[in-house]
C-alpha cells in the first residue's frame, strides 16, 4: 500500500483537502487544496452551497492525480447539525439550510411543550442550542410538513457528500449524536422522540461508527478521477475528528479552537445528570463509542466577523497585535448570547452590549479585538470551572487544538486566567484525526492509543504557563 489517505475537512469558513502519508511511524501532511466556505442567501434562508463544495472536493481529488499520488482512501468531516432530505429518486427535497438561519427561533420552547426539557436531556445527553437538528426538523414540520412526509433519506452534510461519492447512504455516529435525536445509551435513533414530534422516522438510516469502510467510488467518478479509493467514515463531525488528535487525554481538558470553541473532556460513558443539564454540557459521540463531554462556546467566529466588519483591512495577526497594545482596556461580553450568533454588524453588537451593561465601550479595532479575546478567555475559564465541579477533580492541563491554537495571545490569556499549563497544537487537528481514523479502518494503525502516540511523535506542541505565578 502507498499509505496515503486524503482528508476532506470543511469548516464553517473554509475547507481543505489534506494528504496524509504514514512513514517510519510519523505522519506527514500536505495541503492539496484549500477553498472558501460561506453562507449564502437562497430561497429566503441562509444556506450552504453544497453543490459548489462538492465541486471543490472533486477539484482536490484531481490535484492528487496531477501530483502522481493515488490515495488509498478518503474521509470527509464537516460541522454538525445541518442536513439535507432526499426523495425516493434521491433528488434533493431541501436546501442545506445553515444553523445560523433564524427559522429555529422559538422552536426549542415548542418542542419542550411536547417533550419536557429534562426528559430530552436525560435520554440524549445533548446540549441545548437553538440550532440543533431536532429544532431545525421541527421548524420544517411547521412550515412544510409535506416535505418531511416525502423524505426517504435524511443525510447530514458529510453523509450527503459520501452518497455523491459512492451512491451509498448511511448516517455516521459522531455527527448523528449532534442532532439531539440519538439515545445516549442505545446509540440508536430515538424512535420514541421522533414519534412524539411527528417526525418521519423512516427517513433515517443505520448509524455506522467511525472507521467503517463505506465503499468505493462510483464507476463514473473512477473514470473522471482516473483511480479508485475506499471511502471511509472518520468521525464525520469535525470536533469528533479533532479530539482524536489530543495528545494527552488523562487529567486534561481540551479546547478545540476554531469558528466555535469546544471545551471538554473525553469520557467512557455519558453524564446525563442534573448538574450537567444545569450547566448545559453535551455528551456527543466520539471514536470507539467514547463520549465528548463538552460545552459548545462561541469561538473565533466573533473575531472573523469583526475582521469582516472592518472590510478585511486588518489580518487576524494584525488584530492580535492591536489587541496587545490595549492592555489597559477591559470589557467582557457574554459570547454565548444569541445576539452574537449572526448579527448584522458584530462590532456594533459588541458596543451595544457594553453600553447596556454599563462597561467601557470599545471604540478602536484594538479595543474591539481585546474585548473579544478577554471575553473568550473568561468563558473558557467558566466552562473549565464547571467541568471540575462536575468531575470533582482538578485538571492541571489544557490542550488547545485546531487553527485557533496559533493565537499565542489567547493561549497565554487562557494560561493566565485558569492558572493551568496550556499545550497548543496540533494545528490541523481535525484533518489529522480524520486521517488516523482512515488508517485504523485500513489496519495501518491498530488502536486509538497507537494513533495518539503517532500524532504526539509527529507534531510539535507549544507550552504556555501562567505569567503571573510567583516563585
Amino acid at each position: 500500500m502507498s499509505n496515503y489517505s486524503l482528508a476532506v475537512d470543511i469548516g464553517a469558513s473554509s475547507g481543505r483537502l489534506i494528504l496524509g502519508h504514514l512513514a517510519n511511524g510519523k505522519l506527514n501532511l500536505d495541503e492539496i487544496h484549500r477553498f472558501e466556505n460561506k453562507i449564502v442567501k437562497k430561497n429566503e434562508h441562509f444556506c450552504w452551497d453544497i453543490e459548489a463544495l462538492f465541486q471543490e472536493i472533486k477539484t482536490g481529488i484531481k490535484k492528487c492525480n496531477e501530483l502522481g499520488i493515488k490515495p488509498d482512501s478518503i474521509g470527509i468531516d464537516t460541522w454538525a447539525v445541518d442536513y439535507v432530505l432526499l426523495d425516493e429518486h434521491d433528488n434533493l427535497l431541501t436546501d442545506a439550510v445553515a444553523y445560523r438561519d433564524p427559522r429555529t427561533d422559538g422552536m426549542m420552547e415548542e418542542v419542550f411543550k411536547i417533550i419536557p426539557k429534562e426528559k430530552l436531556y436525560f435520554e440524549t445527553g445533548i446540549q441545548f442550542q437553538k440550532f440543533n437538528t431536532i429544532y431545525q426538523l421541527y421548524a420544517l414540520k411547521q412550515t412544510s410538513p409535506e416535505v418531511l412526509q416525502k423524505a426517504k433519506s435524511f443525510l447530514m452534510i458529510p453523509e450527503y457528500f459520501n452518497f455523491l461519492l459512492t451512491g451509498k447512504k448511511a448516517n455516521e455516529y459522531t455527527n448523528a449524536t449532534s442532532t439531539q435525536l440519538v439515545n445516549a445509551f442505545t446509540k440508536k435513533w430515538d424512535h420514541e422522540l421522533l414519534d412524539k414530534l411527528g417526525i418521519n422516522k423512516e427517513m433515517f438510516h443505520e448509524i455506522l461508527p467511525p472507521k467503517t469502510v463505506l465503499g468505493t467510488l462510483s464507476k463514473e467518478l473512477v473514470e473522471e478521477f482516473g483511480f479508485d479509493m475506499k471511502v471511509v467514515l472518520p468521525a464525520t463531525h469535525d470536533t469528533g475528528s479533532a479530539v482524536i488528535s489530543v495528545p494527552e487525554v488523562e487529567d486534561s481538558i481540551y479546547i478545540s479552537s476554531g469558528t466555535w470553541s469546544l471545551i471538554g473532556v473525553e469520557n467512557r460513558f455519558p453524564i446525563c445528570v442534573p448538574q450537567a443539564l444545569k450547566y448545559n454540557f453535551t455528551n456527543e459521540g466520539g471514536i470507539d463509542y467514547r463520549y465528548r463531554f463538552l460545552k459548545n462556546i462561541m469561538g473565533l467566529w466573533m473575531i472573523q466577523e469583526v475582521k469582516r466588519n472592518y472590510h478585511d483591512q486588518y489580518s487576524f495577526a494584525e488584530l492580535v497585535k492591536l489587541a496587545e497594545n490595549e492592555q489597559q482596556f477591559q470589557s467582557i461580553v457574554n459570547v454565548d448570547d444569541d445576539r452574537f450568533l449572526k448579527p448584522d454588524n458584530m462590532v456594533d453588537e459588541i458596543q451595544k452590549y457594553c453600553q447596556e451593561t454599563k462597561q467601557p465601550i470599545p471604540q478602536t479595532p484594538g479595543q474591539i479585538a481585546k474585548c473579544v479575546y478577554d471575553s473568550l478567555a473568561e468563558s473558557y475559564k467558566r466552562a473549565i470551572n464547571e467541568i471540575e465541579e462536575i468531575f470533582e477533580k482538578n485538571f492541571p492541563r489544557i490542550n488547545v487544538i485546531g487553527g485557533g491554537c496559533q493565537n499565542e495571545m489567547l493561549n497565554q490569556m487562557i494560561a493566565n486566567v485558569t492558572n493551568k499549563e496550556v499545550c497548543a497544537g496540533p494545528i490541523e487537528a481535525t484533518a489529522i484525526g480524520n486521517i488516523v481514523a482512515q488508517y485504523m479502518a485500513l489496519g495501518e494503525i491498530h488502536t486509538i492509543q497507537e494513533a495518539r502516540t503517532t500524532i504526539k511523535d509527529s507534531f510539535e506542541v507549544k507550552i504556555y504557563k501562567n505569567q503571573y505565578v510567583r516563585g
Side-chain angles (χ1 to χ4, degrees), residues 253-265:
I253 289 171
Y254 60 76
I255 302 177
S256 180
S257 181
T259 300
W260 290 89
S261 295
L262 297 308
I263 303 180
V265 296

Side-chain angles (χ1 to χ4, degrees), residues 175-350:
N175 225 340
T177 61
S178 75
T179 64
Q180 209 167 16
L181 289 167
V182 173
N183 187 287
F185 301 93
T186 67
K187 305 176 182 65
K188 298 181 184 298
W189 296 114
D190 196 316
H191 286 176
E192 180 187 355
L193 294 181
L194 291 166
D195 286 340
K196 285 184 176 180
L197 294 172
I199 294 174
N200 174 16
K201 62 177 180 284
E202 301 303 322
M203 64 185 180
F204 295 91
H205 299 280
E206 179 185 4
I207 297 176
L208 300 178
K211 304 188 297 185
T212 298
V213 178
L214 185 63
T216 55
L217 299 179
S218 68
K219 181 180 178 181
E220 294 77 15
L221 289 179
V222 171
E223 292 177 356
E224 183 176 351
F225 300 146
F227 64 96
D228 198 0
M229 292 184 287
K230 291 178 180 176
V231 178
V232 175
L233 299 181
T236 64
H237 183 184
D238 51 9
T239 309
S241 278
V243 170
I244 296 171
S245 296
V246 176
E248 302 286 351
V249 292
E250 296 297 327
D251 294 323
S252 70
I253 289 171
Y254 60 76
I255 302 177
S256 180
S257 181
T259 300
W260 290 89
S261 295
L262 297 308
I263 303 180
V265 296
E266 188 176 78
N267 212 40
R268 294 305 182 103
F269 53 87
I271 305 175
C272 305
V273 298
Q275 197 175 18
L277 168 60
K278 173 186 173 183
Y279 291 137
N280 202 22
F281 274 81
T282 201
N283 294 270
E284 293 172 349
I287 197 164
D288 292 345
Y289 290 119
R290 298 171 186 226
Y291 291 86
R292 292 174 285 124
F293 184 75
L294 60 85
K295 178 172 282 193
N296 197 1
I297 292 174
M298 193 77 72
L300 296 174
W301 157 257
M302 293 184 72
I303 205 69
Q304 290 166 4
E305 283 294 283
V306 166
K307 179 176 179 288
R308 185 178 67 83
N309 291 159
Y310 287 120
H311 307 291
D312 292 321
Q313 66 185 95
Y314 304 103
S315 67
F316 291 121
E318 287 169 337
L319 284 171
V320 168
K321 198 69 178 174
L322 291 171
E324 288 176 336
N325 294 333
E326 296 285 355
Q327 289 302 312
Q328 299 307 309
F329 182 86
Q330 187 169 43
S331 286
I332 303 293
V333 303
N334 176 11
V335 298
D336 291 319
D337 193 307
D338 283 347
R339 70 197 294 167
F340 300 122
L341 191 61
K342 192 167 180 35
D344 292 333
N345 186 293
M346 185 67 77
V347 171
D348 288 350
E349 208 63 50
I350 290 169

